[in-house]
PDB file of all heavy atoms in Angstrom:
ATOM      1  N   PHE A   6      59.750 -64.610 -54.631  1.00 97.00           N
ATOM      2  CA  PHE A   6      60.807 -63.592 -54.647  1.00 97.00           C
ATOM      3  C   PHE A   6      61.930 -64.318 -55.581  1.00 97.00           C
ATOM      4  O   PHE A   6      62.460 -65.414 -55.244  1.00 97.00           O
ATOM      5  CB  PHE A   6      61.375 -63.297 -53.238  1.00 97.00           C
ATOM      6  CG  PHE A   6      60.714 -62.348 -52.506  1.00 97.00           C
ATOM      7  CD1 PHE A   6      59.324 -62.371 -52.384  1.00 97.00           C
ATOM      8  CD2 PHE A   6      61.366 -61.291 -51.834  1.00 97.00           C
ATOM      9  CE1 PHE A   6      58.604 -61.435 -51.626  1.00 97.00           C
ATOM     10  CE2 PHE A   6      60.755 -60.339 -51.103  1.00 97.00           C
ATOM     11  CZ  PHE A   6      59.296 -60.362 -50.962  1.00 97.00           C
ATOM     12  N   ASN A   8      65.689 -63.377 -56.503  1.00 97.00           N
ATOM     13  CA  ASN A   8      66.880 -62.509 -56.390  1.00 97.00           C
ATOM     14  C   ASN A   8      66.541 -61.055 -56.081  1.00 97.00           C
ATOM     15  O   ASN A   8      67.098 -60.089 -56.663  1.00 97.00           O
ATOM     16  CB  ASN A   8      67.605 -62.461 -57.767  1.00 97.00           C
ATOM     17  CG  ASN A   8      68.610 -63.512 -57.811  1.00 97.00           C
ATOM     18  OD1 ASN A   8      69.518 -63.528 -56.896  1.00 97.00           O
ATOM     19  ND2 ASN A   8      68.601 -64.355 -58.811  1.00 97.00           N
ATOM     20  N   LEU A  26      62.618 -66.724 -52.676  1.00 96.00           N
ATOM     21  CA  LEU A  26      61.742 -67.640 -51.872  1.00 96.00           C
ATOM     22  C   LEU A  26      60.530 -68.011 -52.632  1.00 96.00           C
ATOM     23  O   LEU A  26      60.178 -67.220 -53.550  1.00 96.00           O
ATOM     24  CB  LEU A  26      61.456 -67.081 -50.485  1.00 96.00           C
ATOM     25  CG  LEU A  26      60.676 -65.774 -50.399  1.00 96.00           C
ATOM     26  CD1 LEU A  26      59.237 -66.005 -50.277  1.00 96.00           C
ATOM     27  CD2 LEU A  26      61.171 -65.066 -49.150  1.00 96.00           C
ATOM     28  N   ASN A  61      62.626 -59.843 -58.903  1.00 95.00           N
ATOM     29  CA  ASN A  61      61.150 -59.769 -59.219  1.00 95.00           C
ATOM     30  C   ASN A  61      60.406 -60.358 -58.039  1.00 95.00           C
ATOM     31  O   ASN A  61      60.861 -61.453 -57.523  1.00 95.00           O
ATOM     32  CB  ASN A  61      60.953 -60.585 -60.483  1.00 95.00           C
ATOM     33  CG  ASN A  61      61.521 -59.881 -61.672  1.00 95.00           C
ATOM     34  OD1 ASN A  61      61.302 -58.709 -61.892  1.00 95.00           O
ATOM     35  ND2 ASN A  61      62.444 -60.642 -62.370  1.00 95.00           N
ATOM     36  N   PRO A  68      53.762 -60.455 -61.742  1.00 90.00           N
ATOM     37  CA  PRO A  68      54.644 -59.558 -61.215  1.00 90.00           C
ATOM     38  C   PRO A  68      53.776 -58.454 -60.536  1.00 90.00           C
ATOM     39  O   PRO A  68      52.875 -57.914 -60.986  1.00 90.00           O
ATOM     40  CB  PRO A  68      55.510 -58.945 -62.296  1.00 90.00           C
ATOM     41  CG  PRO A  68      55.223 -59.816 -63.527  1.00 90.00           C
ATOM     42  CD  PRO A  68      53.922 -60.457 -63.209  1.00 90.00           C
ATOM     43  N   ALA A 117      31.333 -59.994 -42.491  1.00 93.00           N
ATOM     44  CA  ALA A 117      32.656 -60.124 -41.997  1.00 93.00           C
ATOM     45  C   ALA A 117      32.816 -59.959 -40.407  1.00 93.00           C
ATOM     46  O   ALA A 117      33.520 -60.656 -39.807  1.00 93.00           O
ATOM     47  CB  ALA A 117      33.581 -59.078 -42.752  1.00 93.00           C
ATOM     48  N   ALA A 142      38.817 -56.889 -35.614  1.00 93.00           N
ATOM     49  CA  ALA A 142      38.232 -55.980 -36.721  1.00 93.00           C
ATOM     50  C   ALA A 142      39.259 -55.669 -37.750  1.00 93.00           C
ATOM     51  O   ALA A 142      38.924 -55.610 -38.961  1.00 93.00           O
ATOM     52  CB  ALA A 142      37.853 -54.615 -36.088  1.00 93.00           C
ATOM     53  N   ALA A 163      50.644 -57.145 -28.887  1.00 83.00           N
ATOM     54  CA  ALA A 163      50.311 -56.160 -27.895  1.00 83.00           C
ATOM     55  C   ALA A 163      49.175 -56.732 -26.975  1.00 83.00           C
ATOM     56  O   ALA A 163      48.796 -56.038 -26.037  1.00 83.00           O
ATOM     57  CB  ALA A 163      49.832 -54.833 -28.503  1.00 83.00           C
ATOM     58  N   GLN A 173      45.151 -66.874 -31.311  1.00 94.00           N
ATOM     59  CA  GLN A 173      45.829 -67.933 -32.154  1.00 94.00           C
ATOM     60  C   GLN A 173      45.018 -69.023 -32.656  1.00 94.00           C
ATOM     61  O   GLN A 173      44.971 -69.403 -33.767  1.00 94.00           O
ATOM     62  CB  GLN A 173      47.166 -68.385 -31.362  1.00 94.00           C
ATOM     63  CG  GLN A 173      48.152 -67.422 -31.154  1.00 94.00           C
ATOM     64  CD  GLN A 173      49.220 -67.875 -30.033  1.00 94.00           C
ATOM     65  OE1 GLN A 173      49.052 -69.068 -29.384  1.00 94.00           O
ATOM     66  NE2 GLN A 173      50.161 -67.022 -29.842  1.00 94.00           N
ATOM     67  N   THR A 186      46.365 -68.280 -47.598  1.00 97.00           N
ATOM     68  CA  THR A 186      47.773 -68.404 -47.340  1.00 97.00           C
ATOM     69  C   THR A 186      48.156 -67.370 -46.463  1.00 97.00           C
ATOM     70  O   THR A 186      47.896 -66.232 -46.651  1.00 97.00           O
ATOM     71  CB  THR A 186      48.611 -68.393 -48.705  1.00 97.00           C
ATOM     72  OG1 THR A 186      48.114 -69.352 -49.591  1.00 97.00           O
ATOM     73  CG2 THR A 186      50.030 -68.631 -48.468  1.00 97.00           C
ATOM     74  N   GLU A 241      63.114 -74.964 -28.575  1.00 97.00           N
ATOM     75  CA  GLU A 241      64.481 -74.661 -27.967  1.00 97.00           C
ATOM     76  C   GLU A 241      65.446 -74.368 -29.173  1.00 97.00           C
ATOM     77  O   GLU A 241      66.420 -73.395 -29.001  1.00 97.00           O
ATOM     78  CB  GLU A 241      65.036 -75.667 -27.052  1.00 97.00           C
ATOM     79  CG  GLU A 241      64.220 -75.729 -25.734  1.00 97.00           C
ATOM     80  CD  GLU A 241      64.108 -74.378 -25.056  1.00 97.00           C
ATOM     81  OE1 GLU A 241      65.217 -73.650 -24.789  1.00 97.00           O
ATOM     82  OE2 GLU A 241      62.986 -73.938 -24.793  1.00 97.00           O
ATOM     83  N   ARG A 248      69.115 -66.605 -30.631  1.00 90.00           N
ATOM     84  CA  ARG A 248      69.993 -66.063 -29.581  1.00 90.00           C
ATOM     85  C   ARG A 248      71.469 -65.835 -30.136  1.00 90.00           C
ATOM     86  O   ARG A 248      72.101 -64.994 -29.724  1.00 90.00           O
ATOM     87  CB  ARG A 248      70.049 -66.962 -28.356  1.00 90.00           C
ATOM     88  CG  ARG A 248      68.747 -66.574 -27.462  1.00 90.00           C
ATOM     89  CD  ARG A 248      68.682 -67.386 -26.251  1.00 90.00           C
ATOM     90  NE  ARG A 248      69.889 -67.447 -25.439  1.00 90.00           N
ATOM     91  CZ  ARG A 248      69.868 -67.807 -24.212  1.00 90.00           C
ATOM     92  NH1 ARG A 248      68.662 -68.437 -23.720  1.00 90.00           N
ATOM     93  NH2 ARG A 248      70.869 -67.717 -23.385  1.00 90.00           N
ATOM     94  N   LYS A 249      71.771 -66.738 -30.987  1.00 84.00           N
ATOM     95  CA  LYS A 249      73.073 -66.713 -31.532  1.00 84.00           C
ATOM     96  C   LYS A 249      73.362 -65.409 -32.272  1.00 84.00           C
ATOM     97  O   LYS A 249      74.453 -64.904 -32.363  1.00 84.00           O
ATOM     98  CB  LYS A 249      73.364 -67.799 -32.820  1.00 84.00           C
ATOM     99  CG  LYS A 249      73.975 -69.097 -32.132  1.00 84.00           C
ATOM    100  CD  LYS A 249      74.458 -69.911 -33.213  1.00 84.00           C
ATOM    101  CE  LYS A 249      73.446 -71.023 -33.502  1.00 84.00           C
ATOM    102  NZ  LYS A 249      73.478 -71.731 -34.601  1.00 84.00           N
ATOM    103  N   VAL A 253      75.032 -58.888 -27.032  1.00 65.00           N
ATOM    104  CA  VAL A 253      74.621 -58.242 -25.835  1.00 65.00           C
ATOM    105  C   VAL A 253      75.877 -57.154 -25.487  1.00 65.00           C
ATOM    106  O   VAL A 253      77.031 -57.548 -25.621  1.00 65.00           O
ATOM    107  CB  VAL A 253      74.431 -59.200 -24.591  1.00 65.00           C
ATOM    108  CG1 VAL A 253      73.606 -58.398 -23.606  1.00 65.00           C
ATOM    109  CG2 VAL A 253      73.614 -60.323 -25.123  1.00 65.00           C
TER     110      VAL A 253
END
Side-chain angles (χ1 to χ4, degrees):
F6 273 47
N8 268 303
L26 64 89
N61 294 307
Q173 289 165 1
T186 306
E241 288 311 307
R248 277 176 62 167
K249 264 198 263 166
V253 199

